[in-house]
Amino acid sequence: MAHTGRTVGRLGEGDWDGKVSEIKKKIKSILPGRSCDLLQDTSHLPPEHSDVVIVGGGVLGLSVAYWLKKLESRRGAIRVLVVERDHTYSQASTGLSVGGICQQFSLPENIQLSLFSASFLRNVNEYLAVVDAPPLDLRFNPSGYLLLASEKDAAAMESDVKVQRQEGAKVSLMSPDQLRNKFPWINTEGVALASYGMEDEGWFDPWCLLQGLRRKVQSLGVLFCQGEVTRFVSSSQRMLTTDDKAVVLKRIHEVHVKMDRSLEYQPVECAIVINAAGAWSAQIAALAGIGEGPPGTLQGTKLPVEPRKRYVYVWHCPQGPGLETPLVADTSGAYFRREGLGSNYLGGRSPTEQEEPDPANLEVDHDFFQDKVWPHLALRVPAFETLKVQSAWAGYYDYNTFDQNGVVGPHPLVVNMYFATGFSGHGLQQAPGVGRAVAEMVLKGRFQTIDLSPFLFTRFYLGEKIQENNII
């Protein structure tokens, strides 16, 4: 009689022994004290412990990571984890910036930061070289910034240049006649004085710097994780101040990292948190309870940083003598890349400073250029009447609504959260110096090379604005 249905093969003696051995291994693997081969692969997760967790993997966050490893007491002494939610950096401020560097600030600290950055960029392979990797080419293009001042602002410009020279910056002052002789295509109407950067100003490739820093810190043992910080676990301690006022000090012990496109999260025990989340750093601060207290108190003082949107336009001017090559302008029209002309506006701020683009998304409003930027360009350089936009993109930057200067160093109440944010458009160019300053504060307890005490968080509570005349 014929049999129908499924045919079951026999196991040979050797096959059976192999199966039994495999089953025994799996049983052993789930016994207490054993690793379980049946569990999910966790290689994509962050470590369970890291001495320092840096929130934000842009140039500022990577610079902090670099200097922490560079200044550690011995190789491997500090475990550093960088958490970045956008591993493609498609919306990161770094990659979408124009990459300018300038020393023409009014605050000594800003000048010192940019001077150090210029040195860092010029000698980048002395800092960021990796064995068996090709050298970095930042394509640094030296081209001085030109700032123009009206009669009303001429004295302030002269004072600023005096400070810049005292700090070591090479800046010259020009009268309207000298300006016309050097740049005959500029309309000098209304210009009483101009300042021009003679050295260490220009632009570079920000994407190359980002990739170079990332490559270097990985070679130094820094860990990376793609995910989003969603929670901090903290302990609290109630203290009395010298005038018998009660304050609550917090210390973060654990960071929860939500994995990309997943409901899964990983807790990471840590000793230090660096808030380098750029335009979103206020959200990270709020997760730590910063700003939750009564208004007017230190506990109730928020981190005053918000996302702002900046357009970048690439354009050319077919009828401009010496201006035929492509140029780049930002939202304000205050910055365009061309030998001898870096900034184009009267006074210390752009003419469109009150007309910010909507930061809800990164779409480009082409009418904004036509209505808000182009008229100022054409007024100052008549040849720009014929300019044509070739392409444009938008990017976010971390705008400090309090005084447009950076926030650096520890929070006074959440004692192990440190800031590297709020630079309002000049964070990229100052990142090497800021990263070093934060690492010094973490490792040594004080700023050592450049004193950035004016940039501490406490100024927001005290209402002490630090006035920078030349936020570009």
Side-chain angles (χ1 to χ4, degrees), residues 64-95:
V64 175
Y66 168 76
W67 286 106
L68 284 170
K69 299 302 290 181
K70 188 79 172 173
L71 300 177
E72 64 184 348
S73 58
R74 67 182 189 283
R75 181 72 185 262
I78 306 171
R79 172 177 268 197
V80 178
L81 170 68
V82 176
V83 181
E84 170 58 48
R85 64 180 182 180
D86 177 15
H87 74 288
T88 66
Y89 293 95
S90 61
Q91 295 192 2
S93 301
T94 299

Side-chain angles (χ1 to χ4, degrees), residues 421-444:
T421 187
F423 286 86
S424 306
H426 54 274
L428 172 65
Q429 66 169 294
Q430 296 185 341
V434 172
R436 184 177 62 176
V438 173
E440 289 169 351
M441 183 61 83
V442 169
L443 298 176
K444 308 295 183 181

